[in-house]
Amino acid sequence: MRLGFLVDLSRCMGCMACAVSCKAENDVPLHSWRLRVKYIDQGEFPEVKRHFVPLRCNHCENAPCERICPVSALHYLPNGIVNVDHNRCIGCASCMMACPYNAIYIDPITNSADKCTYCAHRIEVGMMPACVVACPTHANIFGDLDDPESEISKYLKEHKDVMVRKPELNTKPKHFYVRGSTVALDPLASERPEGYTLFTEVKFLDHIGGH
Amino acid sequence: MLGAEVTFDVALPKVVWGWLVSTNMWAKSIATGSFLLGLYFIKKYPEKDAFFRKWVPILGLIFIGITLLVTVLDLHHMFRFWKIFLFAHFTSAVTLGAWVVSGFVIVLLISFWSWVTGNKKLFDKVMLPGFVLAFFSTIYTAGIMGESTARELWVFPAEMIQMLLSATLAGSAAYLLLMTIYKVEMEEVKRELGYILIGSAFLSGMMYLGEILFARMHSEFSHRAVEILTFGSLAPMFWLGIFLTFIIPIILVGIANEKKKYEYALLGSISALVGLWLVKHSWLLAPQMLPLS
């Protein structure tokens, strides 16, 4: 079994239900995110387009975070999920330096590394990840990549425009995007001016949690 | 369609590894560099080895102590440091580094005991393993940087050579500093240390120049990181570091060697050691300035 995720970006409407349900399900503290939705505006009036991009851990098959973790706090589960053992983590932040997707954070309460686990605790009891359940447009498609009858496998077979983030790094992500674009998936393809924009302040934090 | 702009996102953390990690690399360069060069001079000038048999363990223990202190302080769970030995994961350069540095500390303690007791043979016995451990203690950080897949500016073989050159530069600067302060009369050793410092500074400076020029071609990420380093917010620190580490020491130590006025070497050594920290710090920060997602 190889569990994977697919987001059909044409269905995402940026409602943040996935991000909120993830926060609630996993008790993610303030200023920390396992899953977030980024808005990117492209073009100039009247030719404008808004991209919504849900971003979470890619659960790479060749995960740099698993390789660099000195104590195996980040480890593979038999179903392909890259999981975190909070009690083993020493908080060296090497995983944050290695992850090319900015998917890992230091939890300011536990002082340990944390990230999306595809809701491993829910999957264990046969439930879907919280973000999949919360999505009102079924933009999040989750399932077994090894099962040709799973919805995700069929989706991947049917669509020719499947993309992953930073494929050139050979991390082999198991998180796919359909109907995406470079602007949506490449962080350097868009400007990131700090300051107040749409509803909030786009900014960088000077410190990482609890240090 | 024209340009694109992020209009809504969460606040992202910027600097994950800061000055504690830069200080780790800087202090480790002095510790391992003084050890490796100390062995070389003990072997080359056995009749004048007393200076090095004293300062190899002292410099080594002080600066590896600083390295270990800042390493542990940088951990978000500093009291879990022991887990690196109990749950060692050997694909990680962090783990390999912890084991290698621990071995190096043991060798330094033995060399210190050898100096205290005057038992030269004891140190002689650990010279070879000490050389191997000091060498790998120098380069393991390059392995960590190489494994930091997200930071495309850092490339493993180049970082490894930079670490070795930093060690010879810092080690020679530390010895020149001590020899001038304590007025040690070993002119040929001072001259040789001066040439090692000049050679290391020149080669390391050329490597940085090469990396700056060619990193632009590797990927968009390394191109942007180099832009920040050379023309952006980190440029003042980086260029000051380059000036202090490579240009000033080559001139001052060159004058010292040519005119046998070693007070110039003192200034050149201080400049090299201060500049080395600035260069390492700016090189560490540059790829952390860019968004990854």
Side-chain angles (χ1 to χ4, degrees):
Chain A
M1 181 186 269
R2 277 187 317 130
L3 293 173
F5 232 106
L6 183 144
V7 181
D8 187 336
L9 291 176
S10 68
R11 290 189 185 179
C12 179
M13 55 184 189
C15 69
M16 313 278 176
C18 53
V20 174
S21 64
C22 172
K23 277 247 181 198
E25 175 68 32
N26 297 294
D27 281 336
V28 182
L30 285 171
H31 284 297
S32 302
W33 303 83
R34 292 185 180 201
L35 162 60
R36 65 186 220 264
V37 182
K38 186 167 82 167
Y39 288 16
I40 303 156
D41 288 1
Q42 187 186 14
E44 212 166 76
F45 183 80
E47 271 188 77
V48 285
K49 188 178 179 183
R50 176 164 294 158
H51 304 263
F52 305 113
V53 199
L55 298 161
R56 56 168 82 74
C57 172
N58 284 218
H59 294 266
C60 310
E61 282 184 52
N62 181 21
C65 59
E66 188 275 342
R67 186 166 50 242
I68 204 169
C69 179
V71 291
S72 299
L74 286 140
H75 57 276
Y76 293 109
L77 296 181
N79 56 17
I81 287 174
V82 180
N83 202 23
V84 196
D85 182 343
H86 310 115
N87 294 325
R88 188 176 285 192
C89 176
I90 60 171
C92 66
S94 303
C95 50
M96 292 181 75
M97 293 301 284
C99 175
Y101 309 109
N102 207 6
I104 307 173
Y105 60 94
I106 296 284
D107 187 312
I109 295 167
T110 65
N111 270 336
S112 296
D114 219 333
K115 66 175 197 64
C116 160
T117 60
Y118 281 172
C119 284
H121 60 289
R122 289 173 63 95
I123 291 163
E124 209 173 76
V125 292
M127 294 164 80
M128 278 285 183
C131 56
V132 175
V133 177
C135 181
T137 59
H138 195 48
N140 290 306
I141 295 154
F142 178 74
D144 183 5
L145 295 165
D146 284 341
D147 176 7
E149 295 306 311
S150 67
E151 190 184 5
I152 189 169
S153 295
K154 285 179 183 169
Y155 223 95
L156 287 169
K157 206 180 286 175
E158 283 166 16
H159 290 81
K160 300 289 173 207
D161 57 346
V162 178
M163 296 176 81
V164 293
R165 290 158 68 197
K166 302 183 185 176
E168 71 279 6
L169 295 178
N170 197 32
T171 54
K172 298 181 184 166
K174 292 200 300 295
H175 189 289
F176 306 93
Y177 292 91
V178 166
R179 299 189 184 107
S181 63
T182 307
V183 164
L185 298 182
D186 182 350
L188 300 179
S190 52
E191 293 293 315
R192 196 187 169 88
E194 289 192 50
Y196 285 97
T197 52
L198 204 55
F199 316 123
T200 186
E201 189 182 9
V202 174
K203 64 183 286 194
F204 283 104
L205 293 173
D206 289 333
H207 306 287
I208 55 171
H211 201 60
Chain B
M1 286 278 180
L2 294 170
E5 194 171 281
V6 176
T7 48
F8 179 76
D9 200 357
V10 303
L12 296 174
K14 203 178 212 174
V15 176
V16 178
W17 281 349
W19 69 271
L20 287 169
V21 176
S22 319
T23 307
N24 164 315
M25 291 191 283
W26 176 82
K28 188 159 60 74
S29 297
I30 299 174
T32 58
S34 60
F35 188 89
L36 292 169
L37 291 179
L39 292 194
Y40 168 73
F41 284 107
I42 288 170
K43 286 285 174 195
K44 189 168 182 190
Y45 302 103
E47 72 285 358
K48 300 175 188 171
D49 65 352
F51 175 83
F52 290 104
R53 283 187 185 273
K54 174 185 175 184
W55 285 104
V56 161
I58 293 175
L59 280 178
L61 284 171
I62 289 171
F63 285 97
I64 210 70
I66 294 171
T67 305
L68 293 175
L69 178 70
V70 293
T71 304
V72 173
L73 284 177
D74 197 43
L75 296 179
H76 292 262
H77 275 299
M78 63 175 86
F79 297 112
R80 290 186 187 174
F81 185 77
W82 54 271
K83 290 192 178 191
I84 211 162
F85 299 105
L86 206 63
F87 302 108
H89 185 220
F90 286 108
T91 61
S92 170
V94 182
T95 309
L96 293 172
W99 284 81
V100 164
V101 170
S102 302
F104 182 48
V105 169
I106 292 169
V107 167
L108 285 171
L109 289 170
I110 292 170
S111 62
F112 183 73
W113 186 247
S114 156
W115 169 64
V116 170
T117 57
N119 181 358
K120 281 188 180 185
K121 282 185 181 169
L122 185 63
F123 186 24
D124 292 347
K125 277 181 191 164
V126 293
M127 274 186 180
L128 186 62
F131 173 81
V132 174
L133 290 165
F135 180 85
F136 284 104
S137 296
T138 309
I139 65 165
Y140 85 84
T141 317
I144 298 173
M145 293 170 104
E147 283 188 333
S148 298
T149 315
R151 322 292 164 166
E152 292 170 62
L153 179 67
W154 304 331
V155 183
F156 175 71
E159 293 302 331
M160 182 184 77
I161 296 166
Q162 282 289 18
M163 296 285 169
L164 287 170
L165 290 172
S166 297
T168 51
L169 186 137
S172 54
Y175 282 134
L176 275 175
L177 203 69
L178 285 173
M179 286 185 159
T180 317
I181 290 169
Y182 289 104
K183 296 186 172 59
V184 177
E185 296 296 328
M186 288 195 288
E187 201 158 298
E188 52 191 333
V189 174
K190 280 194 234 176
R191 278 176 72 81
E192 208 165 324
L193 279 167
Y195 288 129
I196 291 170
L197 196 154
I198 291 169
S200 306
F202 178 76
L203 288 174
S204 183
M206 292 304 285
M207 286 262 323
Y208 274 117
L209 193 66
E211 287 186 86
I212 285 166
L213 290 173
F214 288 96
R216 292 170 192 275
M217 299 171 202
H218 291 161
S219 66
E220 180 64 19
F221 186 92
S222 46
H223 173 88
R224 297 274 192 98
V226 165
E227 290 284 309
I228 292 169
L229 200 61
T230 51
F231 300 112
S233 56
L234 294 173
M237 192 201 303
F238 179 68
W239 290 117
L240 178 65
I242 291 283
F243 190 68
L244 289 176
T245 317
F246 307 119
I247 298 168
I248 294 275
I250 287 175
I251 295 168
L252 290 180
V253 178
I255 293 171
N257 271 12
E258 202 58 35
K259 303 200 169 182
K260 295 178 183 169
K261 288 185 174 173
Y262 291 102
E263 58 273 25
Y264 285 101
L266 175 83
L267 293 174
S269 302
I270 292 170
S271 172
L273 290 173
V274 172
L276 189 64
W277 189 90
L278 294 174
V279 171
K280 287 203 173 289
H281 190 56
S282 48
W283 195 257
L284 180 79
L285 294 186
Q288 299 183 65
M289 297 286 137
L290 293 165
L292 298 172
S293 59

